[in-house]
Amino acid sequence: MGKVKRSPWLLHYDASSCNGCDIEVLACMTPVYDVERFGVVNTADPMQADILLVTGGVNSQSAEVVKQLYDQMARPKVVVAVGICACTGGVFKDCYNINGGVDTVIPVDVYVPGCAARPESIIDGVVKAVQIFQERSDAHDKYVKEHGESERDLSDPDAAAREGNPADFFDAITKTSEGSRDKEAEKK
Amino acid sequence: MEEREKKRSVVPFGPQHPVLPEPIHLDLVLEDEKVVDVIPSIGFIHRGLEDLVKKRDFNEYVYVAERTCGICSFGHGLGYVEAVEKCMNVEVPIRAKYLRTIWSEMARIHSHLLWAGLMADAFGFENLFYQCWRLREKNLDLVEMTTGGRLIYSVNKVGGVLKDITPDMQKVILNNLSELEAELRDVYKTFMTDYSVQERTRGVGVLTKEQVHDLGCCGPYARASGVARDIRQLGYEAYGELDFEPVVSNDGDNYARCDVRLREVFQSIDLIRQAIAKIPNGELSVPVKGNPDGEAFIRIEQPRGEAIYYVEGNGTKFLNRFRLRTPTFANIPGMCETMKGCSYADIPLLVVTIDPCISCTER
């Protein structure tokens, strides 16, 4: 691991995990394991987060929440799938309400196996994510210097349109965005 | 001065929220800062575990049942195995019963200390949070030494247990638990006497004994309101041969819940000591022949309260039905009741105070 210049903030979401990996993620924050020594801070605000830790496979209801959280994060962002369920669906793969791993919804950079993933392996995954984050933010800085604006993902036109405009963020609870609600209200 | 008309507004809470390790969504109806109504919605981590009995045979399903929840994993494995054993009329060796009792109490210590930490985090006492989780790691070391896992124990099987606690391990357990107990006294003192903690817990979220009866709450949540109901008193596994009384407090507020849960940790340490003193020598498991036929119904006391297990076999190696009623599901109506009339700032605390375990609830 090279020199880390930034301190990445970490967001944790439980997609459909059994809790085992979640409490191990929390245990990583406490003094015994302490990921804060790598400059990683646990935050609950997706807008300020750089690394997204997802535990558990996704189901139809949580898929939308995961997508929403990923959209709300500012670029550059790194996703870590913690536990075998988040990687492939794991023990719950055959359940009727499990669609599979997190990579069926959002792109995943680091896979951490284990059931439940041990704090040591979660720390290993987070350190890898910190490295990837460092590379990406260097590339991002370079892009901004050359083009004068933030890079956008043009492969997904919807995501590119949503980016930077909080009113158009997809709301997983009401299944609409604030922007589209306003438009509907105008029509009436 | 003309009285301003109070307008109601709905504030969504969750599914992703700082105090929640797990997703639950609440629609809070507010009048200014006061909460007047709460509409909970669950289902973010529903997987369909009960249906999986049709795809996994009844011996394999023990490991799936354990993964219903990572915190009370041992309890779920135990409840399922007991229900299948009752269904097949299997009598488990006495040593296995004692071992199961010791592990359930270890699971209780870990769960209650985890809760105490989250509670301290919810009222913003970071140091206390870290202290609780540091003590919890001592207990997890014992679990790892005896079972090999930190959260998923995987020691239950139909007919007994897979691993033994040797006399050497028993010495280490007794020694480490004494250390844990001594350090926990300081944490307990802070929870009970610290001025800033009492500001957030005394008189907040009061649930009366009548409300507990009407809403069907269970576990430490009900015991904090003066209901002395503890399923361990029925004497399943080795609990019948151990000496203990349910831990009860009468105030019914957050303070009483902290009190009950932390005193239960001391009680669990005492129960492990009693079990280790009385544990007999003998076999760990009995061979099981045939497949479950008929139905069985079991109640056990999880760290969060009473959990109910039901299995129905059909003579093949796949069960017809497995049903699980979890304690958090019984406590959610109580939680919504305590929230009405409280201020918006107390909501995170009141969610944590039932010790929510959403992955059990939704399975």
Side-chain angles (χ1 to χ4, degrees):
Chain A
M1 187 179 159
K3 194 182 164 199
V4 178
K5 283 184 271 179
R6 291 156 208 264
S7 101
W9 286 25
L10 191 144
L11 171 73
H12 162 234
Y13 185 71
D14 172 0
S16 76
S17 151
C18 74
N19 245 341
C21 296
D22 303 312
I23 44 184
E24 293 294 49
V25 167
L26 269 177
C28 288
M29 303 290 160
T30 53
V32 180
Y33 295 100
D34 197 17
V35 286
E36 286 192 18
R37 62 200 151 115
F38 303 112
V40 176
V41 178
N42 191 17
T43 174
D45 185 355
M47 307 252 186
Q48 297 177 9
D50 305 302
I51 299 178
L52 174 62
L53 277 184
V54 189
T55 54
V58 291
N59 60 28
S60 47
Q61 203 167 355
S62 72
E64 284 156 356
V65 182
V66 171
K67 218 185 286 172
Q68 179 189 9
L69 291 173
Y70 184 76
D71 276 354
Q72 286 177 339
M73 285 167 67
R75 277 167 183 281
K77 43 195 166 187
V78 183
V79 179
V80 186
V82 176
I84 195 67
C85 306
C87 297
T88 65
V91 196
F92 311 131
K93 206 173 182 176
D94 291 339
C95 290
Y96 60 81
N97 201 24
I98 290 289
N99 301 347
V102 179
D103 51 7
T104 55
V105 186
I106 53 172
V108 175
D109 300 294
V110 184
Y111 294 88
V112 179
C115 181
R118 294 183 65 87
E120 289 90 344
S121 52
I122 296 175
I123 291 173
D124 205 25
V126 170
V127 168
K128 281 209 169 74
V130 170
Q131 256 167 312
I132 295 173
F133 176 70
Q134 185 67 42
E135 284 161 20
R136 282 200 190 151
S137 29
D138 288 347
H140 187 258
D141 284 355
K142 207 175 151 196
Y143 188 93
V144 173
K145 223 175 225 174
E146 283 169 9
H147 297 82
E149 60 167 4
S150 178
E151 193 182 2
R152 288 186 175 203
D153 183 8
L154 297 175
S155 60
D156 180 2
D158 292 343
R162 281 197 300 272
E163 209 158 274
N165 185 5
D168 285 340
F169 286 149
F170 179 73
D171 188 335
I173 304 297
T174 56
K175 307 259 187 316
T176 52
S177 69
E178 217 173 281
S180 68
R181 279 204 295 275
D182 290 349
K183 275 174 207 160
E184 271 177 35
E186 273 171 28
K187 271 181 201 168
K188 282 173 191 171
Chain B
M1 206 170 77
E2 199 181 324
E3 200 179 316
R4 194 163 52 90
E5 193 193 343
K6 277 184 181 169
K7 278 188 181 170
R8 290 191 167 191
S9 48
V10 179
V11 177
F13 177 93
Q16 191 270 332
H17 190 274
V19 299
L20 298 171
E22 301 172 87
I24 181 172
H25 177 74
L26 302 172
D27 280 315
L28 304 168
V29 184
L30 302 181
E31 269 176 9
D32 286 347
E33 277 284 289
K34 212 177 108 194
V35 180
V36 287
D37 202 8
V38 186
I39 305 152
S41 53
I42 57 174
F44 290 94
I45 38 181
H46 175 63
R47 288 153 285 177
L49 278 185
E50 288 177 359
D51 198 55
L52 212 57
V53 284
K54 289 168 188 163
K55 292 175 186 165
R56 301 270 183 275
D57 81 44
F58 73 96
N59 282 316
E60 280 175 350
Y61 191 79
V62 181
Y63 305 106
V64 180
E66 286 213 311
R67 282 160 176 83
T68 310
C69 168
I71 305 177
C72 19
S73 62
F74 184 80
H76 286 308
L78 177 67
Y80 169 77
V81 162
E82 266 199 40
V84 174
E85 281 160 2
K86 192 178 173 189
C87 190
M88 298 172 77
N89 292 321
V90 176
E91 186 57 38
V92 180
I94 300 173
R95 188 173 175 86
K97 285 187 176 176
Y98 270 90
L99 291 172
R100 284 176 178 179
T101 310
I102 293 172
W103 278 315
S104 340
E105 290 310 312
M106 280 186 184
R108 197 177 314 276
I109 295 174
H110 133 74
S111 173
H112 282 353
L113 285 176
L114 179 136
W115 172 84
L118 291 179
M119 187 73 178
D121 191 33
F123 53 64
F125 202 149
E126 286 282 313
N127 191 323
L128 197 55
F129 166 46
Y130 288 151
Q131 292 296 339
C132 293
W133 280 57
R134 188 177 60 80
L135 293 180
R136 177 179 161 265
E137 289 290 337
K138 280 183 192 270
N139 180 53
L140 287 188
D141 287 345
L142 298 179
V143 172
E144 198 175 343
M145 177 185 73
T146 50
T147 68
R150 275 164 58 87
L151 300 169
I152 307 287
Y153 296 23
S154 296
V155 284
N156 272 319
K157 69 168 193 167
V158 178
V161 291
L162 291 165
K163 285 190 177 152
D164 195 7
I165 299 183
T166 59
D168 289 348
M169 288 178 183
Q170 291 172 11
K171 267 181 212 156
V172 180
I173 290 174
L174 291 175
N175 185 26
N176 286 17
L177 283 182
S178 305
E179 280 175 29
L180 196 156
E181 193 180 20
E183 292 189 49
L184 189 65
R185 295 224 177 270
D186 291 340
V187 171
Y188 179 67
K189 204 176 144 198
T190 312
F191 263 104
M192 291 298 104
T193 56
D194 189 90
Y195 167 75
S196 54
V197 174
Q198 292 193 56
E199 279 287 294
R200 295 301 306 274
T201 54
R202 280 262 192 207
V204 178
V206 179
L207 199 69
T208 62
K209 205 172 177 177
E210 288 71 34
Q211 278 175 314
V212 167
H213 268 291
D214 293 347
L215 299 168
C217 302
C218 61
Y221 196 58
R223 289 198 283 279
S225 297
V227 180
R229 193 192 298 139
D230 191 333
I231 305 302
R232 286 178 290 175
Q233 296 264 303
L234 295 180
Y236 66 90
E237 299 303 341
Y239 285 112
E241 294 163 39
L242 306 179
D243 177 34
F244 70 104
E245 286 292 317
V247 179
V248 180
S249 183
N250 291 318
D251 295 346
D253 57 358
N254 282 347
Y255 183 81
R257 285 164 212 144
C258 291
D259 185 26
V260 165
R261 288 209 175 90
L262 287 170
R263 266 160 58 210
E264 277 190 10
V265 178
F266 292 117
Q267 186 193 44
S268 296
I269 293 173
D270 182 46
L271 282 172
I272 293 178
R273 284 195 187 124
Q274 286 187 39
I276 285 181
K278 283 187 181 173
I279 190 167
N281 288 325
E283 291 293 309
L284 293 182
S285 61
V286 288
V288 177
K289 281 177 192 153
N291 293 321
D293 201 357
E295 54 183 7
F297 175 85
I298 279 286
R299 299 196 285 171
I300 69 165
E301 180 79 13
Q302 290 272 23
R304 287 166 180 73
E306 175 189 8
I308 301 171
Y309 300 82
Y310 169 82
V311 295
E312 187 192 302
N314 52 6
T316 68
K317 62 179 182 172
F318 297 103
L319 294 171
N320 254 357
R321 183 84 169 91
F322 168 57
R323 173 85 178 101
L324 162 57
R325 203 286 320 249
T326 59
T328 305
F329 191 72
N331 285 339
I332 284 178
M335 176 189 84
C336 294
E337 204 56 39
T338 55
M339 281 177 179
K340 287 172 193 166
C342 78
S343 89
Y344 181 66
D346 282 328
I347 293 291
L349 212 56
L350 290 174
V351 174
V352 175
T353 197
I354 67 161
D355 200 356
C357 184
I358 312 298
S359 60
C360 298
T361 309
E362 299 176 358
R363 302 180 288 286

